[in-house]
Amino acid sequence: MASADQESSEQAGFDGARARMRLRVPSVAERVAEELRYQLAEGFLVPGSKLTEATIAEDLGVSRNTVREAFAELAAERLLLRQPNKGVYVATLEAGDIHDVYTVRRAIEVSSIRAGGSPERIAAVRAAVDEGKRAAAVNDNEGLGSANQHFHGAIVALAESNRLDTIMAQILAEMRLYFHKATMNAHFYSDWLAENEQICAALEAGHLEEAGDLLLAYLNRSEQQQTAIHGD
Amino acid sequence: MASADQESSEQAGFDGARARMRLRVPSVAERVAEELRYQLAEGFLVPGSKLTEATIAEDLGVSRNTVREAFAELAAERLLLRQPNKGVYVATLEAGDIHDVYTVRRAIEVSSIRAGGSPERIAAVRAAVDEGKRAAAVNDNEGLGSANQHFHGAIVALAESNRLDTIMAQILAEMRLYFHKATMNAHFYSDWLAENEQICAALEAGHLEEAGDLLLAYLNRSEQQQTAIHGD
DNA sequence: ACCGCTGGATTGTTCAACAATCCAGCGATC
DNA sequence: GATCGCTGGATTGTTGAACAATCCAGCGGT
């Protein structure tokens, strides 16, 4: 997702008329990266475990060189850790990294929401909130989780910055990798809904300062929770 | 610089006693990437020009596959643009990208300075200001430019977040690439010194809000200047 | 318990080949 | 004369094999 979108010049306010064609066939290396990303997000590859080039190459039926290219891509996204002459390992988040990740989130999320956004972008935030409500209604824990990620992604999208979007996407991928389904019990999601609703409402009402404060408070609390669980 | 530092667990408060050894020999691909980064920053490779794999491979005396790995790394940093089946090109910043870049800078720089920082980190900011003054004293335009980059890098470093640091490093590399020496006349540097001094003073005095406001104002003005020059 | 060695496994890098794709040029056609 | 279709050459994408460099576990010697 990082190197996939190179339409930085493609402004958002484009007429739907001249819709871009995008029938590009992703390269093999990209598909390998995509597959690995999927397996990482799904938890098939546990943090810290080693990925051997030859094995993966054979499993996916591609050349070792191609696997290497995919590794490079994922290493650049911090999903894999490359240790020279030793191998690549699934990234692990240490105690310090949790703070690190939340520092980034505070910077870009709060800044994005404080600057407001176009009505369409705000509507996208609202949509994510609703998505969460629907998931909660049917007790879909997994759906609840991704709805929350959509919510925070939509907040960053308010800023209409491609770079912030990809940064956020990477951070979310990192969190998916580490705070995996297994580690998140239902009680985590308890407060989200109400809080997201509150933030979204403030945003819609144009109370940007308040929205920012609420979001900041949420992030701080969330960091505390995570640190408490993944001990340090 | 992006994938080079994987000591995310290495907290800042480390005793100088157990200094890290770092005698790692960078891989060939990394050295190729380094060389290209240098040529990009130095302006030998103009934005938009095409880089042919075979040519670079021969010039540097390495294999085409290795060049490819280096390309992947630089493409992930947005310094190169990979167009599938066509080739890699030196990245160009369109009008919209300028706003994009500054949006990121506003987010992470302002957020970093508003949170303050340890005395050592603040001292580093001060050091960057002094570096600028020394460069100005001898009319060293180039030194003045890099001093300013050090200044803003030091501000982000206040947050003590590895991720923010690498993000900022990439952004600065992008700007170096585009706003190259040739394009920046001396008059650009005119205000910097006084303003950096002011920001730094506010920071040292603990007036974080004021420091943030000053920095924000600077970034906004700088964006305007850049947009004015590199037409839109 | 410490040391050095050694062999096997894995990564790093190169090379050569071929398929897939793009692009410029060049006729053929209306 | 502009458009279309083709074709040939150049470049990228991908593979497979080979070899060098490096690491690591195990083993034996002291």
Side-chain angles (χ1 to χ4, degrees), chain A residues 118-166:
Chain A
S118 71
E120 302 87 40
R121 304 278 174 154
I122 293 180
V125 176
R126 164 61 61 193
V129 173
D130 292 344
E131 178 190 350
K133 286 181 182 171
R134 278 197 305 277
V138 294
N139 255 19
D140 175 8
N141 250 9
E142 183 153 349
L144 205 39
S146 64
N148 193 50
Q149 300 212 341
H150 292 163
F151 175 73
H152 290 279
I155 285 180
V156 172
L158 291 170
E160 306 207 3
S161 157
N162 288 113
R163 284 167 181 76
L164 279 187
D165 287 342
T166 73

Side-chain angles (χ1 to χ4, degrees), chain A residues 4-23:
Chain A
D5 52 348
Q6 52 244 22
E7 55 264 295
S8 54
S9 67
E10 186 179 26
Q11 296 296 22
F14 226 121
D15 234 34
R18 185 137 71 87
R20 182 138 293 179
M21 267 305 183
R22 38 178 73 282
L23 42 76

Side-chain angles (χ1 to χ4, degrees), chain B residues 13 18 38 45 47 60 64 78 108 160 174 186 194 197 217 227:
Chain B
R18 185 137 73 87
Y38 169 74
L45 302 172
L60 301 183
R64 197 158 71 91
R78 284 184 187 269
I108 70 182
E160 307 207 0
E174 277 192 82
E197 169 64 42
T227 338

Side-chain angles (χ1 to χ4, degrees), chain B residues 128-129 131-133 135 142-152 196:
Chain B
V129 173
E131 179 189 350
K133 286 180 183 171
E142 181 154 348
L144 205 39
S146 63
N148 193 49
Q149 299 211 342
H150 292 162
F151 175 74
H152 291 278
N196 288 3

Side-chain angles (χ1 to χ4, degrees), chain B residues 9 43 45 48 61 74 126 151 156 158 160 165 176 201 231:
Chain B
S9 67
L45 302 172
L74 297 181
R126 163 61 61 192
F151 175 74
V156 172
L158 291 170
E160 307 207 0
D165 287 342
R176 254 197 315 275

Side-chain angles (χ1 to χ4, degrees), chain B residues 27-29 61-66 85-86:
Chain B
S27 85
V28 177
V62 300
S63 162
R64 197 158 71 91
N65 268 327
T66 305
N85 287 319
K86 296 188 55 180

Side-chain angles (χ1 to χ4, degrees), chain B residues 28-29 31-37 39 53-63 66-67 70-71:
Chain B
V28 177
R31 273 176 324 207
V32 170
E34 196 54 43
E35 171 65 18
L36 290 178
R37 253 190 290 261
Q39 296 204 8
E53 296 180 354
T55 308
I56 307 249
E58 197 171 7
D59 281 2
L60 301 183
V62 300
S63 162
T66 305
V67 173
F71 279 177

